[in-house]
Amino acid sequence: MAVLKQWFYRSLAVIVALAGIVFVQKSQPVEASITVSGSTYTVTSGSDLFNLLGNTDNYWSSSNVPPSTMTIKVANSITLPATNPILYSGLNNATIAIDFQKYQFYAASPTDSRIIISNTSKAQFTLSNVNNVSSSTSNLVSNVPNVNGSGTMTAYYNTYYGMLLSADYGASLATTNCSASITYNNVNYNMPNDVSYNQPITTYYVPINFTGTNTIIAGNTGQQLGEMSNINVINGTTTLAGGNGSVAFLGAMIYPYYNNTSSKIFNVTVAKSATLNLINNSTSPTFDFYGTNNSLVFNNSGTLNVRSTVSGSLIAGAGTNGTTINATDGAITNMSTIGPTFNNTMASKVFIMNLAANTQTSLVSQSSAPLLNSAAWGSGSGINVTSTAKLLTYSGGFRAGGLTNTTTSTIPVNFVSGNTISKGYTISSTPTDANSYDNLTPNNTKTNAGGTTVLSNALDATTDNGLLLMFNPPTLLVTGTNFNWAYSLASLTGADTLLSRTSGDDISFKVTGTTNFTVTADYQPTQSNQPFSMWFKKDTTLTALGTTPQTILSNSDMTVQNSVYTRTFDKTTGLLIKANNRAKAGTFKGTVDWTLVNGVQ
């Protein structure tokens, strides 16, 4: 039967040909290039990848329903088709891992070649092991696999629309909520030259995460490094770098235009033990908003390094409705610019820093003040410092205290708890982090008590260009030891008499790191039934010392200079004993303990 069917087909073909008509048999989809093992799908062409994600060639059907969790492995270099299919509806609730296995992919179109994620999608994507690298000065590349994987073609290294996954765009979507997400995991995208269409992260309203080691470098200045709704580094180290060293981006390195929350806040989040490096090599701001003015919020629990290497480049551009930096326990934050780090070109001049315990933060400007403003900062601005936070600032172009450019451009500094010491410096070299001043001698030092607020121009001298705020643990230093009272019984009277020390140094007290304190003393005798009592004399006040601590001094009893409190007592004051001629002769010993109280506010 099979032989007869083959003969009939050939005979029919001859008859039709004689009639002058030629039929070309349509090629069937080469589905053999999509291989399946459980929920893992392996593809060898861009068309196959689009078929799996967008169902462009009807791979999915009612009898072939996609799994809720799937992995797609790319087995070789591929070229993405010149189309923009929407993510297949059957995948809108799926968890999808796409592993490029360090192969490179190309784009058949610089303005297409992407899968569009709908704003109603809840799909959770992970894009892993991308290795798109080119040092070319042209976006065109020849002899790459064609979209079907059956030959070669001329294609593009990159597109306007990111790495494979993108979304719809437009002003109406500026605050669209979206429950989908894209996680970039171990992505190496390194295209440092100024070529057209090179915009590697373009997810618009779809939130993004980073895990593993990611290096994304785009030298293109005609667009942006990306348009996205957030940055969230979950673990590992992610480096986002853009610009070619001179020409501006189109608006900013990163456009947080398309925002995934109606609150209009662009969040940059770094988890504990994770690192984010943002490097801007252009004259444009690192961040700016277009179409709607949103707030920029850094939430750092790990290490955040933000650096602009070209003069005139700000971190937050003119469309920013204020900037907040939240550093949680142990976070390291370094922000460095050539010009001002933040200034009044922001739409809202609000600048807030919340520095929690054990954080290290530096704001460094090589040719300006970190906070440059022509007038006072906006309502609500302030720097909130806990007792063990450390903040270093540097004004490379000003000597106005190291933080703001003039005494009128002040910002409140709130010392939330504990005691913080502020140190002013005059230095010529640019610091790199919060520890850069540790081995230098400050010009001036001031102590700031917990619970107080100080304007930035009162932290140090206006002739300084460096400022360091750091925890100042309250300390008490007492000098003078081995005090003696050597008296003969014949020199004493029958009445109790205060006896001065006959040998030993003066007693000197020095207290640092606090402005509101007391000093207590207690006396612990070595022998019982000692024939004298121990006293402390301050001016006309006498305090009996025993095994229970007694207050002998307070901050108001001492001389203060540069936040250092001192008081010295000669041998006729301070420690004295009281005895009479009925005392038993002998040698007696004891110990006085000094304690600083209320040193930590």
Side-chain angles (χ1 to χ4, degrees):
M1 186 69 178
V3 173
L4 291 175
K5 183 176 181 180
Q6 184 181 28
W7 175 85
F8 177 76
Y9 177 86
R10 287 177 178 173
S11 297
L12 178 62
V14 172
I15 295 171
V16 174
L18 291 176
I21 301 174
V22 177
F23 286 128
V24 178
Q25 184 178 10
K26 180 181 178 182
S27 299
Q28 296 297 314
V30 186
E31 291 187 5
S33 60
I34 301 178
T35 57
V36 186
S37 176
S39 60
T40 298
Y41 298 74
T42 301
V43 300
T44 58
S45 73
S47 293
D48 296 326
L49 182 58
F50 271 35
N51 198 5
L52 283 178
L53 296 174
N55 207 27
T56 54
D57 213 3
N58 300 315
Y59 183 83
W60 306 112
S61 64
S62 58
S63 59
N64 184 29
V65 177
S68 60
T69 300
M70 63 186 295
T71 298
I72 302 174
K73 291 190 174 182
V74 179
N76 45 257
S77 295
I78 62 173
T79 299
L80 306 179
T83 57
N84 297 307
I86 297 175
L87 179 69
Y88 176 56
S89 59
L91 296 172
N92 274 335
N93 293 299
T95 299
I96 306 167
I98 305 170
D99 186 355
F100 277 85
Q101 302 188 103
K102 298 187 178 180
Y103 290 109
Q104 185 149 344
F105 67 87
Y106 307 92
S109 167
T111 55
D112 299 292
S113 300
R114 58 177 175 147
I115 298 294
I116 297 177
I117 301 172
S118 166
N119 64 336
T120 60
S121 174
K122 297 180 181 179
Q124 306 297 301
F125 284 95
T126 300
L127 195 64
S128 295
N129 299 315
V130 173
N131 189 38
N132 280 19
V133 178
S134 171
S135 59
S136 174
T137 56
S138 169
N139 197 14
L140 284 171
V141 55
S142 301
N143 298 316
V144 298
N146 66 23
V147 296
N148 295 317
S150 58
T152 62
M153 65 180 293
T154 297
Y156 297 86
Y157 283 110
N158 38 59
T159 77
Y160 276 137
Y161 297 112
M163 291 177 276
L164 177 64
L165 302 170
S166 185
D168 203 355
Y169 61 96
S172 63
L173 298 171
T175 56
T176 297
N177 290 300
C178 182
S179 298
S181 72
I182 301 170
T183 298
Y184 296 98
N185 176 64
N186 295 330
V187 170
N188 181 29
Y189 183 103
N190 189 353
M191 300 192 186
N193 290 315
D194 187 7
V195 295
S196 58
Y197 307 115
N198 187 7
Q199 192 168 295
I201 308 176
T202 311
T203 60
Y204 300 119
Y205 49 71
V206 181
I208 61 174
N209 309 303
F210 293 92
T211 59
T213 301
N214 300 283
T215 302
I216 300 175
I217 300 172
N220 179 43
T221 54
Q223 289 297 117
Q224 301 86 32
L225 178 77
E227 296 179 77
M228 60 197 80
S229 64
N230 75 302
I231 298 174
N232 182 27
V233 183
I234 296 174
N235 59 56
T237 298
T238 291
T239 299
L240 306 180
N244 67 351
S246 58
V247 184
F249 281 107
L250 180 60
M253 185 174 97
I254 294 173
Y255 251 169
Y257 179 166
Y258 305 91
N259 200 293
N260 68 318
T261 61
S262 57
S263 61
K264 300 183 180 179
I265 294 176
F266 184 84
N267 286 299
V268 179
T269 304
V270 184
K272 195 172 185 65
S273 300
T275 298
L276 172 62
N277 302 311
L278 294 172
I279 305 170
N280 183 3
N281 299 313
S282 82
T283 57
S284 301
T286 302
F287 297 94
D288 207 354
F289 296 83
Y290 178 75
T292 180
N293 295 334
N294 295 6
S295 297
L296 180 61
V297 178
F298 295 95
N299 300 299
N300 182 27
S301 298
T303 299
L304 171 64
N305 300 309
V306 184
R307 180 161 56 94
S308 295
T309 64
V310 179
S311 178
S313 177
L314 299 166
I315 292 176
T320 309
N321 261 347
T323 298
T324 299
I325 300 171
N326 296 316
T328 62
D329 189 357
I332 298 174
T333 307
N334 299 309
M335 295 187 168
S336 174
T337 53
I338 303 295
T341 311
F342 298 95
N343 77 358
N344 62 348
T345 61
M346 290 191 298
S348 172
K349 302 172 188 176
V350 175
F351 177 78
I352 301 170
M353 278 205 305
N354 298 309
L355 306 181
N358 305 312
T359 56
Q360 296 183 26
T361 306
S362 66
L363 298 180
V364 173
S365 171
Q366 294 187 36
S367 63
S368 178
L371 303 183
L372 181 65
N373 208 20
S374 59
W377 283 84
S379 176
S381 295
I383 299 175
N384 304 305
V385 183
T386 58
S387 59
T388 54
K390 190 173 188 178
L391 170 64
L392 176 147
T393 68
Y394 174 68
S395 295
F398 290 93
R399 298 213 174 172
L403 182 57
T404 51
N405 56 313
T406 67
T407 56
T408 59
S409 300
T410 59
I411 190 167
V413 181
N414 307 304
F415 299 100
V416 178
S417 63
N419 299 279
T420 300
I421 192 169
S422 56
K423 301 179 179 181
Y425 299 83
T426 302
I427 59 176
S428 57
S429 58
T430 304
T432 57
D433 56 36
N435 298 315
S436 295
Y437 296 159
D438 280 357
N439 297 320
L440 303 179
T441 301
N443 298 332
N444 45 77
T445 302
K446 298 180 181 179
T447 297
N448 308 282
T452 62
T453 298
V454 178
L455 291 179
S456 55
N457 65 337
L459 290 171
D460 53 9
T462 57
T463 55
D464 299 330
N465 65 354
L467 171 66
L468 179 64
L469 298 179
M470 62 181 294
F471 179 52
N472 187 33
T475 59
L476 168 64
L477 177 64
V478 183
T479 56
T481 57
N482 298 321
F483 304 114
N484 297 301
W485 290 263
Y487 288 90
S488 66
L489 291 177
S491 63
L492 302 180
T493 67
D496 285 346
T497 304
L498 283 172
L499 302 177
S500 301
R501 300 186 300 279
T502 57
S503 65
D505 301 326
D506 292 344
I507 305 176
S508 295
F509 296 86
K510 181 168 74 172
V511 176
T512 59
T514 180
T515 58
N516 184 18
F517 60 88
T518 59
V519 176
T520 66
D522 61 83
Y523 176 67
Q524 307 292 334
T526 302
Q527 303 97 335
S528 60
N529 302 318
Q530 289 186 347
F532 60 88
S533 56
M534 185 68 69
W535 294 76
F536 191 90
K537 181 180 180 182
K538 175 193 66 182
D539 301 324
T540 59
T541 302
L542 283 172
T543 303
L545 301 184
T547 57
T548 301
Q550 300 295 318
T551 298
I552 59 168
L553 286 170
S554 67
N555 52 286
S556 61
D557 299 318
M558 304 177 75
T559 300
V560 59
Q561 184 175 7
N562 291 331
S563 301
V564 178
Y565 291 79
T566 59
R567 179 74 182 264
T568 298
F569 297 88
D570 64 17
K571 60 185 60 180
T572 64
T573 57
L575 280 181
L576 304 175
I577 65 171
K578 187 180 288 188
N580 56 49
N581 59 12
R582 296 184 299 277
K584 180 181 178 181
T587 300
F588 306 95
K589 295 182 180 180
T591 302
V592 175
D593 292 322
W594 316 102
T595 304
L596 180 64
V597 181
N598 295 332
V600 179
Q601 302 301 310

